[in-house]
C-alpha cells in the first residue's frame, strides 16, 4: 500500500484480496507442490499454510524436494567421478593415488546405481500417485498422501516417515 501511495495509486484491496484468494487456491495443489519441490524451492513450504489444501501441497512439495536432493547428489557424484578420472590420466599421479582414485570411482559408481534406483522409485511412485490423484481426487489433497502410504514404500525409511505423518495428520481414506 505504501508503494502504491508513493506512486499516487490507490489500491483496491477487496479486488486484490479476491484475486489473491483465487490464485492461492489454484497454486496450492499437490501438482504445484511437486513441481516446486523438484526445482528445489523449499521456501514455498509455508505458502499454503492454513489453507484447506495445505496437506497435499506440503506432502507433494516434500516428495519433490526428495527427488531434487537425489538428483543433486547424482550430479555431485558425476562431477567427482570426472575429477577422479582426470586424476587417473595425470602423469604425476602416483600408483597409490591411482589406486585411491579407482577405489573412489568404484564407490561412486555403486552410489550412483543406488541413487538411480531411488530416483526411479521416487518418480514412479509420484507418477502413480498423480495418476490416482487425477482419477480419484479427495478434498485437501490428502489422497496423494494416502496413495504413497498404500504402496510398498512403507518398507523404506522414507515410507516409514510418511506412515508417521499419516498417524498424525492424514484422515483415513474412504472411497
Amino acid at each position: 500500500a505504501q508503494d502504491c501511495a508513493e506512486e499516487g495509486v490507490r489500491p483496491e484491496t477487496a479486488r486484490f484480496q479476491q484475486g489473491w484468494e483465487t490464485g492461492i487456491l489454484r497454486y496450492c495443489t499437490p501438482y504445484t507442490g511437486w513441481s516446486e519441490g523438484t526445482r528445489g524451492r523449499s521456501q514455498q513450504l509455508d505458502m499454503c499454510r492454513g489453507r484447506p489444501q495445505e496437506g497435499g501441497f506440503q506432502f507433494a512439495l516434500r516428495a519433490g524436494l526428495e527427488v531434487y536432493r537425489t538428483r543433486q547428489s547424482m550430479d555431485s557424484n558425476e562431477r567427482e567421478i570426472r575429477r577422479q578420472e582426470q586424476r587417473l590420466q595425470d602423469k604425476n599421479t602416483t600408483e597409490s593415488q591411482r589406486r585411491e582414485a579407482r577405489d573412489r570411482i568404484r564407490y561412486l559408481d555403486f552410489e550412483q546405481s543406488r541413487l538411480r534406483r531411488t530416483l526411479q522409485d521416487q518418480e514412479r511412485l509420484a507418477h502413480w500417485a498423480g495418476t490416482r490423484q487425477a482419477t480419484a481426487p479427495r478434498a485437501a489433497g490428502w489422497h496423494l498422501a494416502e496413495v504413497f502410504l498404500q504402496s510398498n514404500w512403507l518398507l523404506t525409511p522414507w515410507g516409514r516417515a510418511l506412515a508417521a505423518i499419516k498417524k498424525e495428520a492424514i484422515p483415513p481414506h474412504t472411497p
Side-chain angles (χ1 to χ4, degrees):
Q2 183 179 356
D3 290 338
C4 291
E6 290 174 6
E7 295 297 322
V9 175
R10 188 170 159 246
E12 296 181 38
T13 54
R15 286 184 65 193
F16 172 83
Q17 190 63 35
Q18 180 184 11
W20 171 263
E21 291 300 324
T22 300
I24 202 73
L25 284 174
R26 288 183 181 153
Y27 180 82
C28 294
T29 65
Y31 176 81
T32 304
W34 172 261
S35 179
E36 295 289 351
T38 58
R39 293 183 191 139
R41 296 182 180 167
S42 59
Q43 70 276 13
Q44 304 301 88
L45 194 56
D46 292 330
M47 181 65 82
C48 301
R49 189 162 309 277
R51 305 280 172 192
Q53 317 88 312
E54 176 184 5
F57 175 84
Q58 285 190 357
F59 186 88
L61 179 71
R62 286 186 177 108
L65 286 169
E66 288 295 318
V67 167
Y68 176 78
R69 288 182 195 110
T70 300
R71 289 177 180 159
Q72 292 294 99
S73 293
M74 291 175 72
D75 291 346
S76 175
N77 286 348
E78 282 299 321
R79 286 189 299 276
E80 178 65 10
I81 287 170
R82 282 193 301 275
R83 194 176 78 70
Q84 294 299 328
E85 287 172 343
Q86 288 173 347
R87 196 171 161 203
L88 287 173
Q89 299 300 318
D90 186 353
K91 293 179 182 180
N92 295 324
T93 303
T94 67
E95 189 53 40
S96 171
Q97 290 170 329
R98 287 181 200 284
R99 198 171 23 258
E100 256 180 47
R102 284 189 295 271
D103 288 346
R104 181 77 177 138
I105 290 170
R106 269 192 293 278
Y107 168 77
L108 290 168
D109 280 341
F110 174 79
E111 182 65 10
Q112 287 296 81
S113 293
R114 186 189 67 76
L115 289 171
R116 277 190 292 276
R117 284 189 306 275
T118 298
L119 182 61
Q120 194 175 39
D121 288 347
Q122 290 168 336
E123 290 176 336
R124 186 180 312 121
L125 187 58
H127 173 74
W128 181 70
T131 302
R132 292 278 304 267
Q133 178 76 15
T135 58
R138 289 192 55 214
W142 288 115
H143 181 68
L144 178 67
E146 190 73 20
V147 166
F148 273 87
L149 295 170
Q150 289 174 0
S151 72
N152 63 1
W153 266 51
L154 290 174
L155 304 176
T156 67
W158 199 47
R160 287 190 296 276
L162 297 178
I165 292 169
K166 180 179 181 186
K167 287 178 187 171
E168 294 175 13
I170 300 175
H173 176 62
T174 51

